[in-house]
Amino acid sequence: MPLLGDVLPAPVMWSELFDDPDEVTTFPEEDAAVSRAVPKRQREYRTVRHCARLALGSLGVAPAPILSGPKREPLWPEGVVGAMTHCAGYRGAAVARWAEVRSVGIDAEPHQALPDGVQASVATDGETAQLARLAVSHPTVHWDRLLFCAKEATYKAWFPLTRTWLGFEDADIRMDPDTRTFTSTLLVPGPLVDGERLGSFTGRWTVDAGLVLTAIVVLPAA
Ligand SMILES: CC(C)(COP(=O)(O)OP(=O)(O)OC[C@H]1O[C@@H](n2cnc3c(N)ncnc32)[C@H](O)[C@@H]1OP(=O)(O)O)[C@@H](O)C(=O)NCCC(=O)NCCS
């Protein structure tokens, strides 16, 4: 079952892989950008960009290098928004035309409990209470990891709209176990989208194949 296809709406094109194929398209500029990285990082960097180019192809965008900006943000072709994620056993990319979508954030994580101490450093008091309730009502999901994953998707959706930092304490996430959606309420002034200030993002999540995946898609103001 495709993970990204489960959480992304139609205007967003996506591609995902669960390993690193031998044959992936790369560009010399990309190879240079990771030339000093460890082999694992080189593989995930190349594979996720291969995925991104497949998704961009579905938008009719010709293959081109996807380099990174000063805050590590992907530099998409003109008129395109998107996001990439990689973790053990997963690489995924999602892209859309700016005419149809204002921002995208995706994040994948292994479906495992967070390492000791991480939850305390990323969760607000309200989120901590929510995690305790969900652990009792829906014990098969690692809600702490899902919270972390939703926060990272929040940052990836936020950054292209603001070009500023957003800390883990700056958004309060509420997860709905029945609809597999979440709301990320911004605790700082939100970005202006088409002249309207966003107070929150809404997202979808899925758990499958030993992974948890979250996606936020910001549509144009109605
Ligand atoms: C940037 C960050 C979200 C990446 O998440 P991660 O789980 O470590 O790694 P992932 O594999 O899922 O994502 C990495 C990709 O994110 C993208 N990314 C990195 N910085 C980014 C930014 N500023 N804006 C948008 N996307 C960014 C890149 O495409 C990167 O892949 P690449 O280096 O191969 O190009 C994370 O490292 C981070 O800095 N988090 C702190 C900020 C945060 O999450 N705040 C919470 C707000 S509620």
Side-chain angles (χ1 to χ4, degrees):
M1 149 89 98
L3 274 74
L4 279 173
D6 197 27
V7 291
L8 288 170
V12 183
M13 298 295 153
W14 56 271
S15 176
E16 64 191 2
L17 283 168
F18 298 87
D19 58 13
D20 296 307
D22 292 334
E23 295 298 319
V24 294
T25 56
T26 64
F27 284 81
E29 301 92 317
E30 291 177 354
D31 291 341
V34 283
S35 62
R36 285 185 294 191
V38 297
K40 173 181 166 295
R41 168 67 178 146
Q42 292 190 355
R43 283 195 298 275
E44 69 181 17
Y45 180 96
R46 290 182 176 133
T47 304
V48 81
R49 281 162 174 75
H50 175 76
C51 291
R53 278 188 275 277
L54 291 175
L56 286 165
S58 303
L59 288 181
V61 176
I66 304 164
L67 300 176
S68 307
K71 301 295 182 189
R72 287 186 47 214
E73 72 280 15
L75 301 175
W76 298 106
E78 188 68 28
V80 171
V81 296
M84 295 187 280
T85 184
H86 26 58
C87 70
Y90 189 80
R91 287 87 174 85
V95 296
R97 293 270 180 201
W98 186 84
E100 295 179 298
V101 170
R102 294 297 185 255
S103 189
V104 179
I106 62 170
D107 195 70
E109 296 280 329
H111 184 218
Q112 297 161 2
L114 286 171
D116 284 350
V118 175
Q119 181 186 315
S121 62
V122 301
T124 65
D125 290 348
E127 288 167 343
T128 301
Q130 176 196 208
L131 293 180
R133 286 194 301 274
L134 287 168
V136 172
S137 63
H138 296 78
T140 58
V141 175
H142 290 293
W143 294 102
D144 56 342
R145 184 69 74 156
L146 182 54
L147 175 78
F148 183 81
C149 192
K151 290 210 165 194
E152 298 225 302
T154 297
Y155 179 68
K156 292 181 195 174
W158 158 278
F159 185 83
L161 296 170
T162 61
R163 308 202 58 77
T164 61
W165 176 250
L166 188 74
F168 286 101
E169 69 287 4
D170 293 331
D172 186 77
I173 309 257
R174 295 296 136 143
M175 293 169 286
D176 187 323
D178 300 318
T179 58
R180 289 193 289 117
T181 58
F182 65 91
T183 304
S184 186
T185 301
L186 297 168
L187 305 177
V188 294
L192 280 176
V193 175
D194 302 325
E196 293 185 13
R197 194 166 294 284
L198 278 192
S200 62
F201 296 118
T202 54
R204 297 188 58 80
W205 58 269
T206 191
V207 174
D208 196 12
L211 297 160
V212 48
L213 192 122
T214 52
I216 290 171
V217 175
V218 181
L219 296 172

